[in-house]
Amino acid sequence: MALASPGKSEVLADEFEDDGDPISVAEASSLSDTVLAFRLGTTTREQLDRYLPRLASELSGLLDTDLGAQEDGDVQRIVREARKLIELPNRPTNETPTFGTFIYLRDVATLLRRLLWIYTTRNDLEAP
């Protein structure tokens, strides 16, 4: 995946900031469903760019909750993978090819779904 200059990455970093709202399982689930339904040949770069900050913000919000990673090695591994994915150098930029952004979004959506399941199970909520 091509990376851009730090200046352009910093702009995307601002878009990924957690908004502090509580986790909306329904919204996060809906966003991830939408992204996972995207098809490479029919999804535009503009669509990908529109979902990128929203989806990453949902993932970031989940990472700020107690997911039980201290007690469960599998959860710890997923959390570590998710944190690495949304680290500044790993995020797509304007120079990232559409394919790279598409794959990145699918990865974020997949991890979001996994962490949503962990979150809902841990908090006795209805699963997505």
Side-chain angles (χ1 to χ4, degrees):
M1 182 181 320
L3 297 176
S5 68
K8 292 197 177 183
S9 293
E10 289 171 11
V11 171
L12 285 176
D14 292 342
E15 295 174 359
F16 280 28
E17 291 300 317
D18 180 24
D19 56 15
D21 291 338
I23 302 302
S24 169
V25 173
E27 183 175 340
S29 182
S30 175
L31 282 170
S32 64
D33 286 347
T34 299
V35 167
L36 291 172
F38 285 166
R39 298 293 166 243
L40 187 57
T42 59
T43 306
T44 67
R45 178 60 187 252
E46 291 76 27
Q47 287 172 303
L48 298 175
D49 289 342
R50 185 174 35 239
Y51 278 87
L52 184 64
R54 294 171 57 201
L55 198 64
S57 178
E58 291 293 337
L59 181 58
S60 179
L62 268 175
L63 290 172
D64 288 338
T65 66
D66 180 12
L67 297 168
Q70 299 301 327
E71 306 92 43
D72 188 324
D74 289 334
V75 174
Q76 189 175 45
R77 182 185 51 75
I78 296 167
V79 166
R80 197 171 34 249
E81 186 179 342
R83 287 193 191 285
K84 182 175 180 171
L85 187 63
I86 62 173
E87 284 178 358
L88 190 61
N90 300 323
R91 299 175 187 174
T93 66
N94 293 334
E95 283 82 23
T96 304
T98 300
F99 177 76
T101 301
F102 177 82
I103 295 300
Y104 179 85
L105 267 177
R106 288 192 62 83
D107 289 348
V108 171
T110 299
L111 285 171
L112 178 59
R113 293 294 293 182
R114 293 170 78 186
L115 290 174
L116 274 173
W117 184 84
I118 293 165
Y119 176 78
T120 57
T121 301
R122 185 164 178 82
N123 291 291
D124 295 322
L125 301 171
E126 188 174 322

